[in-house]
Amino acid sequence: MKNLTQGNELKQITLFSLPMLLGNIFQQLYNVVDSIVVGKNIGDHALAAVGISFPVWFIFISLVIGFTMACNILIAQFVGAKKHEEIDKVIQTSILILFWAGLIVTVIGIFLAPYILKMMNTPSDVFEEALIYLRLIFSGMIFLFIYNAFTAMLRGFGDSMTPLYALIISTLINIGLDCLFVIVFKWGIAGAAIATVIAQFVSCFWLILYSRKKYEAFRVNFFKLRFDKIICMQSVKMGFPSGIQQALVGGGFMALLSIVNTFGTQTAAAYSAAGKLDGFIVMPALNIGVALSSFTGQNIGAGKLDRVKRGLHASLLLALGITVTATTAIVIFGKSVMHLFVNNPEVIALGARYLIIVAPAYFFNTITFTLNGVIRGAGETVFPMISTLMAMWVFRVPAAAVLSRYLGSDGIWLAVSIGSAAGCLLTFIYYCSGNWKKKTAKILEIKNR
């Protein structure tokens, strides 16, 4: 692992966050191009259908994200300890679990899709397209599960570039097939979903082949995989809290979307398109926060607490600088950017208004992500989970339900900023309280034994 205990703080954090940022840019590009092709060539109803489907499958994949995070940690620990037999157990057990989990989720998702869409108040003129899209996306869920498993395990080996290559391959294939199936073949929203599934299959298949070629540990017989109960329990214990957090956050987005849907297809389409731009604005701060966690952890371990504070200041300076620039651009050119997604002037106006009202949330999120970088790096992982869930379920969703009755869709957009402001305030108060330093003291105590 790269040594982050010496040198310029700002430079180290910037360089450490760049590979993650690049990967996330391609991930966002993957989603944005899909929405642009669908919105411009099929219509705002199809764009709304794609947006409605996202939080549904996100909930299903959230638990897997937690499990794969545990795979990453276990592989990294066993690689460091040179326990090759344990590495084999993690790899084989993870593949088995995620293969069967993918099959089960596929069946459940296809069956429950219409009931979930009804629960979300999906507009009637969007329902059929959303159902087609969602069921097709669920049909390829097994590829997404296995892809995430191999990505996590490769990162455990210290290889972050191979997953990035797979993501680039997937993005380029998805963009090409989107244009072919939707624009040329006129397959409608089904074409967009099929393009996504094929792209996921190809990137998953390539990742498996490349992993087997590059690392001996992955050269296992897939028909003779061994299940290890202890490894399974360790993975569940480590990954379950994070998975539950992600699932509850996804549930919050679903609840928010169900409120959006009550205002009709055009509002849902505007929310879907404008929401895609959120990722580009908050993504740098999110990655800087992750880099700051590693920076904080290493410097706490080295007993250099003064560098932690300097690292926080440098990170805030960098993250807020990027956020100010991106937010200013999106507020000024928001309407022009919305033209990329749809032709409907009402949807464009609604989306541009969303970007203006939600703009303060970007600043609050930037501060939250950065402070949480220090808090998590100190070993405190419970508070960030609690504050995230409180911001979503205690503030954002209830505020959207109440304000939308009086302010219409503007009330929902305002609730997004309210939830972000509440999360930022909670995090700032906790950081200033210094309670997270108790974890730091324990780390230093262990180090000095």
Side-chain angles (χ1 to χ4, degrees):
M1 181 182 286
K2 187 176 180 180
N3 191 328
L4 301 176
T5 61
Q6 298 175 359
N8 181 276
E9 292 87 358
L10 181 59
K11 182 179 179 181
Q12 286 185 338
I13 292 168
T14 301
L15 292 176
F16 195 76
S17 62
L18 276 177
M20 293 180 290
L21 180 59
L22 185 59
N24 282 331
I25 286 174
F26 274 96
Q27 184 65 59
Q28 291 298 321
L29 185 64
Y30 191 105
N31 297 325
V32 167
V33 172
D34 198 50
S35 296
I36 290 174
V37 171
V38 167
K40 294 292 283 188
N41 294 279
I42 307 176
D44 47 291
H45 51 93
L47 180 60
V50 172
I52 289 168
S53 301
F54 173 75
V56 179
W57 69 260
F58 179 79
I59 289 179
F60 282 88
I61 202 172
S62 292
L63 293 176
V64 176
I65 292 173
F67 183 85
T68 54
M69 180 193 72
C71 295
N72 176 297
I73 295 170
L74 288 174
I75 290 283
Q77 289 176 346
F78 292 141
V79 167
K82 297 182 179 180
K83 294 185 177 181
H84 301 293
E85 185 177 346
E86 299 302 312
I87 293 172
D88 291 340
K89 290 179 181 178
V90 175
I91 290 174
Q92 295 188 45
T93 301
S94 299
I95 294 172
L96 275 172
I97 291 174
L98 290 172
F99 173 81
W100 288 107
L103 283 180
I104 293 169
V105 167
T106 295
V107 174
I108 293 175
I110 291 173
F111 176 74
L112 292 181
Y115 303 101
I116 295 172
L117 291 174
K118 288 178 182 177
M119 184 180 67
M120 293 174 63
N121 300 314
T122 303
S124 57
D125 58 337
V126 175
F127 190 90
E128 286 303 319
E129 285 184 303
L131 183 59
I132 291 170
Y133 185 84
L134 192 57
R135 279 180 162 167
L136 284 170
I137 289 297
F138 270 117
S139 70
M141 195 64 75
I142 188 169
F143 307 129
L144 193 59
F145 277 31
I146 295 175
Y147 167 85
N148 276 286
F150 273 79
T151 293
M153 290 186 290
L154 284 167
R155 285 180 176 145
F157 277 95
D159 185 352
S160 60
M161 294 308 295
T162 300
L164 176 60
Y165 298 148
L167 183 57
I168 292 173
I169 290 171
S170 181
T171 300
L172 295 177
I173 290 174
N174 189 53
I175 291 173
L177 292 181
D178 261 340
C179 295
L180 180 65
F181 294 161
V182 177
I183 300 175
V184 180
F185 292 170
K186 307 293 183 183
W187 287 358
I189 199 166
I194 293 170
T196 298
V197 171
I198 292 175
Q200 289 171 349
F201 166 75
V202 173
S203 61
C204 175
F205 188 67
W206 180 87
L207 197 59
I208 292 172
L209 290 180
Y210 190 87
S211 301
R212 289 171 67 85
K213 181 179 179 181
K214 190 172 182 180
Y215 299 99
E216 187 177 351
F218 287 102
R219 295 168 194 165
V220 296
N221 187 333
F222 290 123
F223 298 100
K224 295 181 180 180
L225 296 174
R226 293 175 296 166
F227 177 81
D228 189 282
K229 185 177 179 181
I230 296 176
I231 293 293
C232 176
M233 294 306 297
Q234 282 181 304
S235 299
V236 171
K237 184 178 179 181
M238 293 172 66
F240 189 71
S242 176
I244 287 295
Q245 177 191 346
Q246 294 289 337
L248 289 174
V249 169
F253 283 118
M254 184 184 289
L256 195 68
L257 188 53
S258 69
I259 300 171
V260 171
N261 287 339
T262 61
F263 288 89
T265 301
Q266 292 179 347
T267 304
Y271 179 69
S272 175
K276 294 290 187 296
L277 301 175
D278 287 345
F280 282 107
I281 299 174
V282 302
M283 188 170 43
L286 182 62
N287 286 289
I288 289 169
V290 173
L292 183 58
S293 290
S294 298
F295 177 91
T296 299
Q298 287 194 26
N299 281 284
I300 286 174
K304 298 181 178 180
L305 300 182
D306 58 318
R307 295 200 79 230
V308 172
K309 189 174 182 179
R310 294 203 302 271
L312 172 61
H313 291 163
S315 297
L316 276 172
L317 179 66
L318 176 63
L320 285 172
I322 295 172
T323 301
V324 168
T325 304
T327 303
T328 302
I330 207 66
V331 168
I332 295 174
F333 302 108
K335 202 165 187 178
S336 299
V337 176
M338 285 296 298
H339 276 281
L340 294 174
F341 292 91
V342 286
N343 299 315
N344 190 320
E346 291 186 32
V347 175
I348 291 169
L350 282 167
R353 190 163 179 80
Y354 166 94
L355 293 170
I356 292 171
I357 297 174
V358 170
Y362 303 142
F363 296 97
F364 295 130
N365 288 336
T366 295
I367 296 170
T368 300
F369 294 151
T370 310
L371 291 176
N372 275 337
V374 172
I375 293 169
R376 285 195 175 98
E380 173 57 85
T381 57
V382 175
F383 174 79
M385 178 183 72
I386 293 173
S387 63
T388 299
L389 296 180
M390 286 185 66
M392 176 63 75
W393 286 102
V394 178
F395 295 97
R396 182 175 293 185
V397 173
V402 173
L403 293 176
S404 63
R405 297 177 184 176
Y406 304 99
L407 302 175
S409 59
D410 283 357
I412 306 175
W413 315 152
L414 184 59
V416 173
S417 289
I418 290 173
S420 296
C424 180
L425 181 61
L426 289 170
T427 304
F428 181 74
I429 291 172
Y430 182 79
Y431 175 81
C432 291
S433 73
N435 286 335
W436 57 275
K437 294 180 181 178
K438 295 177 182 177
K439 296 284 185 177
T440 302
K442 290 182 180 178
I443 293 173
L444 292 176
E445 183 183 337
I446 293 171
K447 175 180 179 290
N448 294 325
R449 282 178 183 173

